Amino acid sequence: MKRLLIFLMFFVPFVFGNVNPSATSGRPSPGEVVNNPVMFTWTYFDADGDELEYSIVQIDDDRMFFSPQNYKVVGSSFKIYLDSDGEYYWRVQAVNKFGNDISEAHRFFINTKEKVCSDGTSFFECSFEKPLYCD
């Protein structure tokens, strides 16, 4: 009987858990000055290949996120008009059916007096989307 018990102990199948997804903040990048509307972008990665179900974008004017505005988003970008100029913080939480992960928070600034192109590129700077200057 002891041999059977030892045999079963070594051949019990292991169940490996699913790895949580990861989210990495893109734009606005840390310290970036933007204008309205603010375009938030991020990347999603899951080592298990699980699909992203949705993301939660959190925006707050407090770096500790005591009272964030939460926006449920399908995809990896989100555009919004923010009420006033000033300092803001943002992070994104990626959610799939097995778990979630929240990105590092980044600080950015709203300056509605600064001219910014519709794609978020500062005026007279090259755009990543097209090799031209903004009009």
Side-chain angles (χ1 to χ4, degrees):
M1 184 69 174
K2 274 188 168 179
R3 286 185 186 180
L4 181 60
L5 182 60
I6 292 171
F7 178 78
L8 289 175
M9 286 175 42
F10 288 109
F11 290 96
V12 173
F14 289 97
V15 177
F16 294 98
N18 194 287
V19 178
N20 283 343
S22 66
T24 304
S25 305
R27 287 191 74 171
S29 55
E32 185 174 3
V33 178
V34 296
N35 199 334
N36 277 317
V38 181
M39 174 63 88
F40 295 91
T41 63
W42 58 92
T43 57
Y44 166 80
F45 175 76
D46 187 275
D48 302 311
D50 301 320
E51 290 187 32
L52 176 67
E53 290 191 357
Y54 60 89
S55 298
I56 299 172
V57 176
Q58 295 184 323
I59 305 169
D60 203 338
D61 59 1
D62 182 278
R63 68 184 176 109
M64 300 303 290
F65 288 87
F66 285 124
S67 57
Q69 295 296 313
N70 297 310
Y71 303 94
K72 185 176 179 178
V73 178
V74 175
S76 59
S77 65
F78 174 67
K79 187 186 286 189
I80 189 171
Y81 282 87
L82 295 175
D83 294 336
S84 58
D85 288 6
E87 179 180 49
Y88 291 89
Y89 296 84
W90 81 283
R91 61 188 180 188
V92 63
Q93 181 177 17
V95 179
N96 69 25
K97 63 183 175 183
F98 296 106
N100 62 73
D101 179 56
I102 197 158
S103 71
E104 181 179 349
H106 292 297
R107 178 178 68 160
F108 70 98
F109 302 90
I110 297 285
N111 183 348
T112 56
K113 294 160 191 69
E114 183 174 312
K115 203 168 189 182
V116 177
C117 301
S118 61
D119 67 356
T121 306
S122 296
F123 208 69
F124 296 119
E125 287 186 17
C126 290
S127 169
F128 293 111
E129 283 78 28
K130 55 186 177 181
L132 304 171
Y133 288 101
C134 296
D135 299 79

